[in-house]
Amino acid sequence: MTVFFMASSHAQTLINGPLSTNAHWTASGGPYVISGSVAIQNGAVLSIDAGVTIFMEPAADFSVVAGSVKASGTQSNPIRVRSDKTRQGGAAAPGDWKQWSFLPGTTATQLNYVEFENGSGLLIKGSAPVFNNLNIHHQLGAAITVDLAASPSGDGNLATDNTINGIAVPAGDITGNVRWGIRGIPYVVTTGTVSVGKGPAISSVSPNTMQQGE
């Protein structure tokens, strides 16, 4: 991970590249500005304190590849993930930044009282993060997108003013044990069919020739 501390009347900490050792983001060390792609790797743990503001530069993204995030916002002092255009005094819009992604190597991850605005939503693949009291709004696309191996959970979540105010579920077969446990945001199957267990398929036809009328 590359970290730059900028000294000015508007000091901030610039974050770029992989995060492969434990890190602690504090309100006094912020705001934090994510540039490019930042990925938690190598089992690292990122702890984020209440009151931290994280700005996402244009097209920036954040992912958990192998490790965990412990974001400890509170009702009176939430953590905020915002478009960097806001910090620059510009007009923020949905899709200003990419996604926060929680991939199969995500472990022991919990986000409490985190607000996400003007991005492209959250993505959960093959992992089981816990989301409590998230406020996801003004996202381009679904508030949250999951694959059929994801088992997120949590209470008190809210999605407003997104392209889809829901958890987008793809069509396909659920072949393992999963839990749909997020409360406050509905699950939405936007197209196709979701089957529990492998869906039936025709593998062969016998006889393989037929005469007209048979």
Side-chain angles (χ1 to χ4, degrees), residues 19 22 40-46 63-70 102-109:
L19 196 164
N22 295 350
I40 296 179
Q41 303 175 355
N42 198 40
V45 178
L46 172 61
S63 61
V64 184
V65 176
S68 61
V69 176
K70 300 182 184 300
F102 302 87
L103 304 180
T106 301
T107 59
T109 287

Side-chain angles (χ1 to χ4, degrees), residues 99 116 120-123 136-137 139-145 158-160 162-168 185:
Q99 291 180 312
F116 293 91
S120 301
L122 310 184
L123 173 65
I136 306 171
H137 61 94
Q139 305 291 312
L140 182 64
I144 301 173
T145 300
L158 178 67
T160 58
N162 308 292
T163 307
I164 299 174
N165 290 318
I167 302 166
I185 302 175

Side-chain angles (χ1 to χ4, degrees), residues 19 22-32 45-55 62 68-81 100 110-116 134:
L19 196 164
N22 295 350
H24 185 189
W25 294 359
T26 65
S28 61
Y32 294 83
V45 178
L46 172 61
S47 301
I48 307 174
D49 286 354
V52 167
T53 298
I54 301 165
F55 290 107
F62 177 91
S68 61
V69 176
K70 300 182 184 300
S72 304
T74 66
Q75 184 174 11
S76 61
N77 203 15
I79 295 164
R80 302 185 73 185
V81 181
W100 274 44
Q110 183 164 332
L111 276 59
N112 296 328
Y113 287 102
V114 182
E115 178 183 4
F116 293 91
L134 300 194

